[in-house]
Structures are given as structure tokens and as C-alpha cells.
Amino acid sequence: MVAYTLSILAAVGVLLLTALVFRRVTRAGEDRDPNGPTAAHAGAMLSAMFLLVFAIAIIVPWTTADAARQNTHTESQAAIDAFWAADSLPGEAPQQVRTALREYVTFVVRDEWPLMAQGRMDPVGAARLDELRGRVTDLKVSGETEQDAKDNVLDYLGAISTARSQRSSDAAAAPPEGLLFLTVLTGVVVIIFPFLAGARPRGLAILPLVAMAGLLGFGTYVTWDISHAFAGPLAVKPGAFQEALQEFARVAGRV
């Protein structure tokens, strides 16, 4: 924060120093016209700054949500693959592993997803996954088929764990610090700039400013509303995990 403040002060200092030097070494008329070069240059730069910040505030959450959505499909597909691979495990292990996978996915959809909208994960989910991996690791197998099945299940459980870690990061992800504040600040400056430049619109002339202010306010709110991958209009839904539960039921019905 100190570095940001110093950079602002440095830029303002350069402006004031330049204005002082040019006032002393050159002769030129004062620029008081709202349509003059000073207002035109400042207005264009402020608009460009707002558009840049606004674009970042839109693109970053959008890409985060898209990556989070892809990751949920990766995690759910790994769960489905593990469910299939468990069929060749010995004894009661297939039923036990499949029951644990079904309970894990159900837990994610029913209990963990609401917490993710708040940027948190439930540690119970990780504990359940670790317990299942431990049980499969300790499983005694005989023959190449059972050993391959065990290795495959462990590989898929590892993929679930990796995807879960990424889901945790996605749930806690937020736009760069200060970005939303900067979006609001530049939006406000763009709205009031014509008045700061000396313009005093009256009658119908103020309608375009009203429309601009309304759209800027709406756009700024959108940047805040989509800032979280698992909440708001871009929220990632648990559809991939619900489809996995449907696949579990279909596979179980064939066994």
C-alpha cells in the first residue's frame, strides 16, 4: 500500500513540477475551456484507465470461474474412473470403495458446495478422501489383475485429491487486491469529470451523462458480483458431481 501511495504522489509531483516549469519558461494562454486540450487529454486518459481496470476486473473472475468449472469435471471424472476400476479389487473391497466414493461425492454436493460460495472448504471432505486412500493402500491383493486394479484406483484417488486441492484454491480465489476499489474510483472520476472540467450541462444535454452513469454503475456492480467463482451469476454449479452420482447409480445397477 505504501508503494502504491508513493507512486501516486510521484506522478502528481511530476505533473505539478512540469506545470510550474512550463509556466515560467513559456508563454501561453490559460486553458479554461471544458473542450480544451487539457480536458480532452485528461478525459481520454481517464476513460482509457477505467476501461483497462474494468476489463481486468471482468476477465480475471471470468477465467477463474471457467478454470474452476473445468476442474470440477476433472475431479468428478476421476471419481467415476475410480468407481469403475474398483470392480476388480478382491473381496468386499469393490463395494466398500464404491460406497466411500458415493458418500464423498454426495458430501461435496450437499454439504461442501454451500461453503465454497463463502470461500471455504470443509476439512471433512479431505479427511474422507485420505481415509479411503489409506484403506486402498493397505488392501492385500494377489495376482496381476488385482494389483493393477489397486494401482489404478490409487491413481484415480490421487487425481481426485489433486483436483480437490485446485478446487480449494479456486474457492478462495479473489481479484487482485485493490482492483475492485480502483474500478469504483475510476468509474466515479469518469462520471464527475465533465463537471470537474468546467462543463455545466442543462436540460437534454445531461441525459447522456445520466445514461453513462447508470451503465457504469451497473458494470461496476457486475465486477463485484462475479468476483467469486462459486457465487454470483457466474457461479460454478455442482452439475459435474451430480452427473457422477447418476453414473454411480447406473454402474451399480449393472453389477
Side-chain angles (χ1 to χ4, degrees), residues 96-117:
Q96 293 173 356
V97 170
R98 286 175 169 178
T99 298
L101 285 170
R102 187 182 297 107
E103 291 176 349
Y104 170 76
V105 174
T106 301
F107 171 82
V108 170
V109 173
R110 183 186 60 198
D111 300 321
E112 195 165 51
W113 217 266
L115 293 178
M116 290 162 55

Side-chain angles (χ1 to χ4, degrees), residues 121-211:
M121 296 278 284
D122 194 325
V124 172
R128 289 188 176 190
L129 194 55
D130 290 342
E131 180 184 2
L132 177 57
R133 294 178 72 180
R135 285 162 54 188
V136 175
T137 300
D138 295 338
L139 187 63
K140 303 299 182 182
V141 297
S142 60
E144 185 176 346
T145 300
E146 292 182 357
Q147 184 62 52
D148 288 344
K150 177 180 176 179
D151 293 340
N152 288 335
V153 171
L154 286 175
D155 288 342
Y156 291 132
L157 292 178
I160 296 173
S161 181
T162 300
R164 177 182 175 81
S165 297
Q166 182 59 51
R167 181 157 54 87
S168 178
S169 298
D170 293 335
E177 183 179 356
L179 180 61
L180 296 180
F181 170 77
L182 191 58
T183 304
V184 174
L185 178 61
T186 54
V188 170
V189 172
V190 168
I191 291 173
I192 67 174
F193 178 77
F195 299 95
L196 295 177
R200 297 296 181 265
R202 295 290 187 273
L204 294 179
I206 202 171
L207 291 181
L209 289 178
V210 172

Side-chain angles (χ1 to χ4, degrees), residues 41-84:
H41 175 70
M45 292 305 298
L46 287 172
S47 297
M49 177 62 70
F50 171 77
L51 291 175
L52 174 63
V53 175
F54 181 74
I56 295 174
I58 291 290
I59 292 173
V60 169
W62 190 288
T63 54
T64 299
D66 186 58
R69 187 174 294 105
Q70 294 291 335
N71 185 65
T72 61
H73 286 279
T74 299
E75 185 177 356
S76 63
Q77 185 59 51
I80 293 173
D81 292 338
F83 198 88
W84 274 100

